[in-house]
Amino acid sequence: MLLNKQKTHSFTTRQPVQSRSGFTMIELLVVIAVIAILAGLVLQTAGYAQKKAARSRAEAEIAALSAALENYKSDIGDYPSGTNTTNTSSGNNAFLRAKLAPKSMKVYFEFSKKMGTNSDISETNQSILDPFGNAYGYQYPGNTSRSGSNFFDLWSTAGTNNTSLWIKNW
């Protein structure tokens, strides 16, 4: 048996070279750079908003603590005596918590979990913390040492050493 082999000729025609679709490396780097810049701006704005919110919360807490101290004075006759000027998370203003939220007497201030170091907010031996994680500063040595003036100082360092940026009640 003879096999009939046919030769097939395939003629190739030249096609014009097509350009590839896609991005060049430069275009990709430019897009990545723009995205990185925009992400940096968003993160910076978010950080600013968090600091602003913490500052507002500290101002509200100082106002509420001041009102509680005024109520305490109207019932007891004087502000709680004591001084806390360390302004760190280990600062000891726990005497204020014990006076404003005692376990057996009238409660002058309800402390939130965010204002303490322990999960149990009823503990009277823990410091009162500001939104920045530092203890609120408090000073009242008693009305005899201030030549008749009867006031207390209550402040937050607002997470900075710059005293002009502190949040205070005076």
Side-chain angles (χ1 to χ4, degrees):
M1 248 187 152
L2 267 176
L3 291 174
N4 191 4
K5 288 188 180 178
Q6 292 181 345
K7 272 191 171 180
T8 58
H9 297 292
S10 65
F11 295 100
T12 58
T13 58
R14 289 196 164 191
Q15 303 261 339
V17 177
Q18 294 179 357
S19 63
R20 289 184 176 172
S21 62
F23 297 107
T24 66
M25 186 62 90
I26 300 293
E27 290 170 331
L28 288 174
L29 288 175
V30 167
V31 169
I32 290 171
V34 168
I35 290 172
I37 290 170
L38 291 175
L41 291 174
V42 167
L43 291 176
Q44 184 180 14
T45 303
Y48 173 76
Q50 285 178 335
K51 287 180 186 176
K52 187 86 170 163
R55 186 169 182 84
S56 294
R57 191 173 127 217
E59 289 171 354
E61 287 176 355
I62 285 177
L65 283 167
S66 294
L69 287 165
E70 292 297 334
N71 287 336
Y72 180 89
K73 180 187 176 206
S74 69
D75 287 351
I76 306 299
D78 202 6
Y79 300 112
S81 294
T83 299
N84 169 46
T85 58
T86 57
N87 296 319
T88 63
S89 59
S90 62
N92 192 4
N93 62 12
F95 63 92
L96 268 181
R97 184 183 294 270
K99 295 290 186 178
L100 296 178
K103 292 184 178 184
S104 61
M105 296 174 33
K106 178 181 178 182
V107 174
Y108 295 94
F109 190 84
E110 291 286 335
F111 292 96
S112 70
K113 289 182 181 179
K114 295 179 181 179
M115 294 179 75
T117 55
N118 299 331
S119 60
D120 185 7
I121 59 173
S122 65
E123 285 293 320
T124 57
N125 62 350
Q126 64 175 316
S127 292
I128 305 168
L129 300 181
D130 66 8
F132 303 96
N134 298 325
Y136 280 108
Y138 176 80
Q139 182 173 344
Y140 181 71
N143 61 7
T144 58
S145 65
R146 293 194 177 193
S147 305
S149 61
N150 193 7
F151 60 91
F152 61 91
D153 296 330
L154 181 64
W155 70 92
S156 166
T157 61
T160 180
N161 290 332
N162 186 352
T163 56
S164 66
L165 298 177
W166 287 9
I167 305 163
K168 38 198 179 272
N169 73 324
W170 68 89

